[in-house]
Amino acid sequence: MVTLFIFLGLLAGAAVLLVVTLLRRGNSRTEHAEGLLIEQQSRIQAHSDRASFGTFAAHNAPPTMTDHYRR
C-alpha cells in the first residue's frame, strides 16, 4: 500500500513539474529577424510536406501528382 502512495506521489510530482515548465515557457514569439525567417521557412516546408505526404498523395494519386521531391 505504501508503494502505491509513493508511486502516485511521484506521478503527481511529475505532472506538476510538467505544468510548471509549460507555464514558464509561455507562448512567446520570436522577435528577431533570424528567428522569423526560420519560422517562415519551417511553415513553408511543413506545407509542402503535407502536400507531398498527405493521405491523398500517398494512397490515391500517381506519385508525381504532388511530389515536390522529384528524383
Side-chain angles (χ1 to χ4, degrees):
M1 191 68 176
V2 172
T3 306
L4 180 64
F5 288 133
I6 291 173
F7 175 72
L8 291 176
L10 289 173
L11 193 61
V16 168
L17 180 65
L18 288 174
V19 168
V20 168
T21 302
L22 290 175
L23 289 176
R24 283 183 53 211
R25 184 171 17 168
N27 289 332
S28 61
R29 293 194 145 268
T30 304
E31 297 178 5
H32 303 293
E34 294 172 2
L36 292 173
L37 291 174
I38 292 170
E39 286 181 9
Q40 181 182 15
Q41 184 179 6
S42 296
R43 279 194 314 272
I44 292 169
Q45 182 68 40
H47 175 72
S48 66
D49 287 348
R50 281 191 299 272
S52 291
F53 304 114
T55 302
F56 181 74
H59 299 292
N60 300 326
T64 57
M65 183 172 180
T66 59
D67 190 7
H68 294 291
Y69 302 102
R70 294 185 181 133
R71 295 177 192 121

